Amino acid sequence: MIHHLRAAGVSLVLDSRGSGVPAIVHWGRDLGALAESDLVLLADATVPAVAPSSIDAPLRLTLLPALADGWSGLPAVSVEGTRAAPRQLGTVRDGDVIVTECAWADAVITTRLELTPQGVLLAAQAVRNDGIAPVVLTAAGVALPVPDRARETLDFSGRWAGERRPQRATPGQGVWLRESRHGRGGHDEPFLMVAGTPGFGFGAGEVWATHLAWSGDTRLWFERTDLGPAVLGAGERLGALTLPPGEAYEGPTVVATWSATGLDGLSDRLHPWVRSWSTLDRPRPVTLNTWEAVYFEHSIDRLAPLIDRAAEVGVERFVLDDGWFLGRTDDRRALGDWTVDPVRWPGGLGPLIERVHARGMEFGLWVEPEMVSLDSDLARQHPQWLLTDPESVTWRWQHALDLSLPEVEHHLFERLDALLAEYPIAYLKWDHNRDLLVADSGAQVHALYRLIDRLRAAHPDVEIESCASGGGRIDLGILRRVDRVWTSDTNDPLVRQAIQRWTGIVIPPEYLGSHVGDARAHTTGRVSALGFRLATAPFGHAGIESDLTRVSPGDLDAVRTWAGVHRRFRGLLHSGRVVRADAASDAVVVHGVVAHDRGEALFSYAVLDATDAALPEPLRLVGLDPELRYRVEAVDLGAAPAVLQDAAPPWFAAGVVLPGRVLAETGLAMPLLLPGNAVVLHVAAV
């Protein structure tokens, strides 16, 4: 039988006729309603010719491409020592889900394909050993065909405080393979593998993309060969996984997306899909995190003035970062001893939390449950709980605990459960400050998921943020279990503009922690204007990472204004459609959020460096209704941007009313901003 899934302008056609492994005939633009006879003709018409010096049968990319079938490309699924070709046991369809079961020697492989209402393709493999001897699995991913016109690729690399740096290429024949070996994704994780028509951008070009919803080691690849279709693939990096008889492996979900309208088209599918299962059910509170304000300088006397300033500027959640627990005076000791330090907090955290609540704010707390310091009571009492040898290299002076040990998982739940039962904690900032440095991270990730799931079930009102030295663990696997991700440890707005731009292709803005930091960024040493910092932070889950007790009264007033502006617009920012413009100059970054009814929008125009012209191109406002008229006005964030001009564009002082079509096609002349400045515009239908 030939199956045709359709949703939101996307078609998936799967040919499961015969006893061979089913093959995807088409994944991409909607083909319309096709009769069964047309599906047969389509499937037959796409069977390729037999090339000289090749196998003596047409080569098709099946759900389990195998050497025995003639596929010499990178294997998506690989069972060690198996020479026979896999064969189909059966394929069933239930609504928008297709499940295929195939036998490959003693392994039974179940492939699940689902097309969501948003047009997102979810694909996963499960492998079960039905034999009497162990089966060694070396790969269990998903390979999806993409047309030959998808010649250009985009994926990401990065480093601490510089995550998700884009890299584009036009690979020739062979495999472009990106693997992560950090046990937590990592700052240089590929994040997303995109293949598209040459020159694709945010608003143009046809693109196909894969993301692995998994918080451990990953592999994403693109491959072109002479004798087969181009392929996008993704899966967990396994090494060699032994399955005893009767045991099974369930692979993480590959989230695959097609767009006819560039990278923004990916977000147009992914963001609504995430929001369809998101548990966020109230406005995202403006947050102050204490890390860059006080570091390890913890006491009620030190923090009380900061609490007061936070409340005065409109903060709604106050988060106490690292340094509150037993003996934690620096980053070389005490991780794992999750009891309140009696020296710094002789009355416990109660007096601090009472002060936070008295000023009308929620209280949040930093934890790093998966880690342990050698200089800790926990490590001294249970050295066997360490994931790696105590003599092995440390990372930020710490080791990881082996969460796959039931006693470790139980201990961590007990300690966190006790903290949440003793204190009215509304939020946990859950950190993970080192790579695991082990060959196989799968058991650790599954144990982490179980621990978070169990904790969420016991404390459903407590929100959790995923932080991993900043943005080292951001994926759609962890996102199902948390309410926020810390996008990066840098609060430098010049760096943040790019990190948030690219992370936001997959992750909706309401999840992306984005803070106003100090004038001199702690991670780069660069000094940024307050206006630039205020203009960068609102386009996410906004907050503050600064010692407000040392901020001038004028700057405090600006931050107060900014917080009010964010509260005014966060409903729009956290529900609308994210759009990004392909500017002519790389020095200019333009992005915005447009309401779904296109009646309102908020845009950011940021200049990061010297532009390529004295008079940069006009700002085109994309995504609006071409038939509506809009008033465009600059938003007062409390601090004006710095400019170098004799006169501003005439419209800028009082705003302008123009049709959406004009704003998108012709645009607006912009002030001549100095590098490191930004303007935020409010656009409202009239």
Side-chain angles (χ1 to χ4, degrees):
M1 185 175 181
I2 301 175
H3 306 273
H4 185 195
L5 302 182
R6 300 175 64 208
V10 177
S11 278
L12 176 81
V13 178
L14 182 75
D15 185 357
S16 65
R17 295 175 296 175
S19 60
V21 177
I24 293 177
V25 175
H26 171 81
W27 165 48
R29 192 186 304 273
D30 185 22
L31 300 178
L34 295 177
E36 180 66 29
S37 58
D38 286 336
L39 289 172
V40 171
L41 291 171
L42 166 66
D44 291 344
T46 56
V47 174
V50 177
S53 190
S54 69
I55 61 171
D56 297 322
L59 176 62
R60 303 183 76 190
L61 182 77
T62 71
L63 297 178
L64 303 175
L67 274 171
D69 286 325
W71 174 256
S72 55
L74 191 70
V77 179
S78 179
V79 180
E80 201 170 81
T82 301
R83 296 186 177 181
R87 70 185 190 282
Q88 180 184 178
L89 298 177
T91 297
V92 296
R93 175 179 175 180
D94 182 7
D96 292 320
V97 178
I98 301 172
V99 177
T100 290
E101 196 170 76
C102 297
W104 201 351
D106 290 334
V108 174
I109 302 169
T110 302
T111 305
R112 186 182 189 276
L113 301 171
E114 176 184 357
L115 192 62
T116 74
Q118 300 79 19
V120 176
L121 175 62
L122 308 178
Q125 306 281 15
V127 183
R128 185 181 71 247
N129 182 2
D130 276 5
I132 59 175
V135 164
V136 178
L137 193 63
T138 55
V142 172
L144 299 170
V146 295
D148 198 52
R149 62 184 178 275
R151 291 293 183 98
E152 190 173 341
T153 63
L154 166 71
D155 63 272
F156 298 88
S157 188
R159 64 186 70 163
W160 174 76
E163 297 89 340
R164 281 163 294 287
R165 295 183 175 181
Q167 50 185 23
R168 297 184 73 138
T170 305
Q173 301 290 337
V175 180
W176 175 245
L177 171 66
R178 294 293 315 285
E179 290 188 336
S180 69
R181 298 169 177 264
H182 305 287
R184 58 167 178 170
H187 300 99
D188 63 348
E189 185 194 29
F191 186 60
L192 189 70
M193 182 68 76
V194 182
T197 51
F200 68 83
F202 286 110
E206 195 177 9
V207 294
W208 294 255
T210 53
H211 167 93
L212 192 66
W214 180 243
S215 308
D217 293 341
T218 63
R219 60 202 302 256
L220 279 73
W221 71 93
F222 170 77
E223 181 172 14
R224 290 185 63 238
T225 69
D226 270 333
L227 294 176
V231 167
L232 273 177
E236 180 186 2
R237 190 190 66 81
L238 286 180
L241 177 66
T242 300
L243 292 179
E247 292 202 5
Y249 165 83
E250 290 193 12
T253 298
V254 176
V255 181
T257 320
W258 168 83
S259 162
T261 54
L263 299 172
D264 279 359
L266 301 179
S267 300
D268 288 341
R269 300 189 187 282
L270 290 168
H271 291 184
W273 174 64
V274 170
R275 288 167 177 163
S276 73
W277 47 259
S278 171
T279 59
L280 304 184
D281 58 1
R282 65 187 179 101
R284 301 292 79 214
V286 177
T287 297
L288 183 140
N289 191 70
T290 65
W291 179 241
E292 289 190 357
V294 302
Y295 288 101
F296 291 105
E297 190 182 349
H298 282 210
S299 70
I300 189 69
D301 292 339
R302 178 68 178 89
L303 289 166
L306 183 59
I307 292 170
D308 293 340
R309 294 292 175 276
E312 289 168 9
V313 301
V315 168
E316 298 163 308
R317 173 184 285 160
F318 187 92
V319 180
L320 183 65
D321 209 288
D322 193 359
W324 59 268
F325 47 97
L326 185 64
R328 183 68 164 178
T329 55
D330 58 33
D331 60 4
R332 301 192 178 200
R333 68 199 80 250
L335 277 177
D337 297 339
W338 301 110
T339 55
V340 178
D341 188 276
V343 175
R344 295 179 165 194
W345 304 103
L349 293 178
L352 179 75
I353 298 175
E354 289 171 6
R355 189 173 188 110
V356 170
H357 286 173
R359 296 309 306 264
M361 297 179 289
E362 300 176 353
F363 179 76
L365 192 65
W366 179 94
V367 293
E368 195 174 4
E370 300 156 80
M371 298 297 156
V372 63
S373 304
L374 289 181
D375 184 5
S376 67
D377 290 345
L378 184 67
R380 285 185 284 270
Q381 294 168 8
H382 299 287
Q384 73 279 12
W385 285 5
L386 272 64
L387 182 65
T388 54
D389 189 284
E391 299 300 318
S392 63
V393 65
T394 55
W395 184 306
R396 201 185 183 235
W397 312 104
Q398 64 196 50
H399 282 267
L401 292 168
D402 187 351
L403 268 64
S404 69
L405 298 175
E407 56 269 32
V408 173
E409 186 181 334
H410 178 70
H411 168 80
L412 292 177
F413 174 80
E414 278 196 331
R415 289 307 313 134
L416 295 171
D417 180 60
L419 268 174
L420 296 175
E422 182 177 1
Y423 296 110
I425 298 168
Y427 170 88
L428 291 177
K429 180 181 177 181
W430 188 303
D431 216 337
H432 185 290
N433 275 310
R434 67 159 283 166
D435 283 4
L436 297 184
L437 303 182
V438 294
D440 180 11
S441 63
Q444 186 86 349
V445 176
H446 284 298
L448 168 69
Y449 287 173
R450 287 195 303 270
L451 176 60
I452 295 178
D453 291 348
R454 185 180 175 191
L455 201 66
R456 294 297 297 265
H459 302 275
D461 295 329
V462 175
E463 295 193 0
I464 295 176
E465 173 184 86
S466 172
C467 176
S469 312
R473 184 162 63 190
I474 297 180
D475 62 83
L476 292 171
I478 198 71
L479 201 71
R480 282 189 176 270
R481 296 167 168 84
V482 300
D483 307 275
R484 191 184 203 243
V485 294
W486 186 227
T487 319
S488 176
D489 269 350
T490 188
N491 291 305
D492 183 334
L494 200 70
V495 184
R496 270 286 184 148
Q497 283 278 343
I499 294 174
Q500 292 171 189
R501 182 178 181 84
W502 295 107
T503 309
I505 293 176
V506 175
I507 310 297
E510 60 267 30
Y511 281 93
L512 298 176
S514 177
H515 288 183
V516 178
D518 285 341
R520 184 176 294 278
H522 293 215
T523 56
T524 65
R526 183 169 28 234
V527 175
S528 299
L530 178 59
F532 191 30
R533 288 176 275 141
L534 297 177
T536 300
F539 289 87
H541 182 170
I544 299 167
E545 191 102 4
S546 178
D547 186 356
L548 296 178
T549 67
R550 299 177 180 176
V551 172
S552 70
D555 284 357
L556 279 177
D557 287 341
V559 173
R560 184 182 298 108
T561 297
W562 164 85
V565 169
H566 180 72
R567 286 194 298 273
R568 174 188 170 191
F569 289 117
R570 64 184 166 191
L572 165 65
L573 292 169
H574 297 164
S575 65
R577 176 184 177 232
V578 175
V579 295
R580 310 164 189 90
D582 295 297
S585 172
D586 291 338
V588 176
V589 173
V590 177
H591 62 92
V593 180
V594 181
H596 286 291
D597 65 1
R598 296 192 286 181
E600 186 181 22
L602 209 65
F603 280 88
S604 168
Y605 174 87
V607 177
L608 308 186
D609 204 343
T611 58
D612 61 359
L615 294 174
E617 67 171 331
L619 167 64
R620 294 186 302 111
L621 301 178
V622 298
L624 304 176
D625 187 329
E627 305 305 324
L628 292 180
R629 295 179 66 82
Y630 293 89
R631 172 171 291 280
V632 184
E633 296 177 306
V635 177
D636 178 10
L637 295 174
V643 299
L644 185 60
Q645 59 190 13
D646 292 338
W651 75 270
F652 193 73
V656 67
V657 176
L658 284 169
R661 189 184 311 279
V662 173
L663 293 170
E665 296 298 329
T666 302
L668 299 171
M670 292 301 290
L672 302 183
L673 303 183
L674 288 172
N677 283 273
V679 169
V680 173
L681 300 177
H682 180 229
V683 183
V686 296

